[in-house]
Amino acid sequence: LPPAGAWETCMTMNESWGYNPQDTHYKSPRQLIHSLCEVASRGGNLLLNVGPKGDGSLPAEQVERLEVVAQWMARNGESIVGTTPGLEPWQFYGPSTRKGNRIYLHTLMRPYETVSVRGVPIRRVAAVRALAHNAELTHTSRCSIIDELLNADPFGELTIAVPESVIDPYATVIAVDITPAA
């Protein structure tokens, strides 16, 4: 469980806090982006350390990774900045964040055809989009028959189709818009 209140994870790109030319064990851009998604989904901030060389410049390996993270953030940053933790672990198998009535699903593993989300108000799902592409995604929902018949606002399972064309090589983000309860 994350700590109560504000918290931060401090992490290096390799194994050293300062510049160390012998330390070439860099985390991949994917690892850095996944860490960012995981920390945000638990309500924390990620402090990613850089170790400048003696002349103040950053090593090429660090610049390359920062550029990839910056490009990913340009497409998906709204799912990280200014968000709160999203769904419970039983609802979605991956990190999720929330901003207002929008839930962001961070798929860290390559989605196969569909992604499932449980325990959502299925009749109030207004839109489902691949965030980076702003592409509408088709989705279906289901709940128990008794809830379907007797409950005006049933909670159930949402199944989202994820076409190959919207897959991000690092982490695909799906935005689910929920209309507020009346």
Side-chain angles (χ1 to χ4, degrees):
L1 290 176
W7 64 276
E8 180 172 77
T9 292
C10 303
M11 188 173 94
T12 61
M13 283 194 224
N14 53 5
E15 297 174 358
S16 303
W17 280 101
Y19 175 64
N20 179 353
Q22 283 76 41
D23 182 0
T24 58
H25 297 101
Y26 283 92
K27 295 169 184 75
S28 70
R30 177 175 285 116
Q31 287 174 300
L32 297 174
I33 290 168
H34 287 194
S35 293
L36 176 61
C37 295
E38 292 281 359
V39 169
S41 77
R42 290 175 173 82
N45 292 316
L46 177 64
L47 182 149
L48 184 59
N49 180 67
V50 293
K53 298 190 279 186
D55 65 2
S57 65
L58 294 178
E61 298 88 350
Q62 292 182 20
V63 171
E64 290 165 8
R65 282 153 179 80
L66 290 172
E67 285 176 352
V68 171
V69 173
Q71 290 167 6
W72 186 87
M73 283 293 291
R75 296 186 305 270
N76 298 287
E78 84 173 61
S79 73
I80 301 293
V81 178
T83 60
T84 58
L87 302 171
E88 295 296 323
W90 64 270
Q91 292 179 284
F92 176 68
Y93 298 122
S96 65
T97 55
R98 179 184 301 267
K99 190 183 296 181
N101 295 315
R102 179 172 275 188
I103 299 167
Y104 300 96
L105 310 172
H106 298 88
T107 59
L108 304 187
M109 302 301 279
R110 184 176 196 84
Y112 296 98
E113 291 112 25
T114 64
V115 168
S116 295
V117 185
R118 292 161 194 82
V120 294
I122 57 174
R123 289 192 184 146
R124 290 192 282 127
V125 173
V128 179
R129 306 188 79 69
L131 186 61
H133 298 273
N134 196 29
E136 189 168 338
L137 301 177
T138 59
H139 58 280
T140 59
S141 61
R142 67 181 183 159
C143 65
S144 70
I145 292 174
I146 196 86
D147 275 341
E148 184 74 35
L149 294 173
L150 302 177
N151 191 341
D153 189 18
F155 281 66
E157 181 178 73
L158 185 65
T159 301
I160 304 163
V162 185
E164 188 73 26
S165 61
V166 302
I167 302 292
D168 186 283
Y170 301 103
T172 303
V173 180
I174 298 169
V176 179
D177 291 323
I178 308 285
T179 303

